[in-house]
Amino acid sequence: MKKTLSWLAIAALTALAGCSSKGDDERRKLELLAQSRASVISSGLPIEQGPLSIMKASASKGIVEIMMIYNTDAKGALPLDQVLRNSMNYYCTDREVKANLELGLGYRIMIRNARGQLMIDQIVNQQYCEKPLPQ
């Protein structure tokens, strides 16, 4: 009886360890993917597109964090809510980005004004993109 209980306990612990290892592996893969994406973006920085400049890209816990500066006073600058809508549309529809979102990767978009004040801090993940975008 004791021997059977011991074997059951060992089998249960092994099963639990196997589950946590699989989860740990998935988390590690996601973190490596985030680091890879952040490195690719970082290699071309700064990227300037009109009044919007991407200044920094980093990775944290499976999320690619992208820091942007938006000069609202520049000629041709759109209202900030429209910039956010356009950015979210890109992240939710671009084939490569969408594939990464489906793998579980997330993007954190941080937009600061020219004075350095944080104006937008938005997480984009698959769940976010499944919701209809605000008009």
Side-chain angles (χ1 to χ4, degrees):
M1 177 79 165
K2 270 187 174 181
K3 202 172 197 179
T4 305
L5 228 42
S6 296
W7 281 109
L8 285 174
I10 290 171
L13 287 174
T14 303
L16 288 175
C19 292
S20 67
S21 293
K22 184 178 179 186
D24 289 346
D25 286 346
E26 293 298 319
R27 186 176 35 81
R28 270 189 239 115
K29 285 179 187 176
L30 205 52
E31 288 173 1
L32 288 172
L33 178 60
Q35 288 172 356
S36 172
R37 297 303 309 148
S39 292
V40 168
I41 295 168
S42 289
S43 68
L45 294 181
I47 299 171
E48 295 185 22
Q49 184 70 34
L52 186 67
S53 300
I54 301 174
M55 304 304 291
K56 179 182 172 189
S58 59
S60 176
K61 298 179 183 175
I63 295 178
V64 179
E65 297 179 339
I66 301 173
M67 176 62 67
M68 303 178 194
I69 304 291
Y70 189 67
N71 185 356
T72 56
D73 298 329
K75 184 177 180 173
L78 300 172
L80 205 50
D81 62 331
Q82 190 173 351
V83 172
L84 178 63
R85 242 189 340 269
N86 292 346
S87 295
M88 297 306 104
N89 185 52
Y90 168 79
Y91 282 94
C92 293
T93 58
D94 179 78
R95 193 179 76 210
E96 185 178 351
V97 174
K98 195 172 180 180
N100 288 332
L101 294 175
E102 289 170 359
L103 292 173
L105 192 69
Y107 290 84
R108 181 180 179 196
I109 308 303
M110 296 171 282
I111 301 177
R112 295 185 180 274
N113 65 15
R115 294 185 206 124
Q117 298 166 312
L118 186 63
M119 305 302 288
I120 293 174
D121 189 348
Q122 178 69 53
I123 297 285
V124 182
N125 55 26
Q126 188 175 14
Q127 293 80 15
Y128 177 89
C129 290
E130 288 172 351
K131 296 186 287 187
L133 293 174
Q135 298 300 321

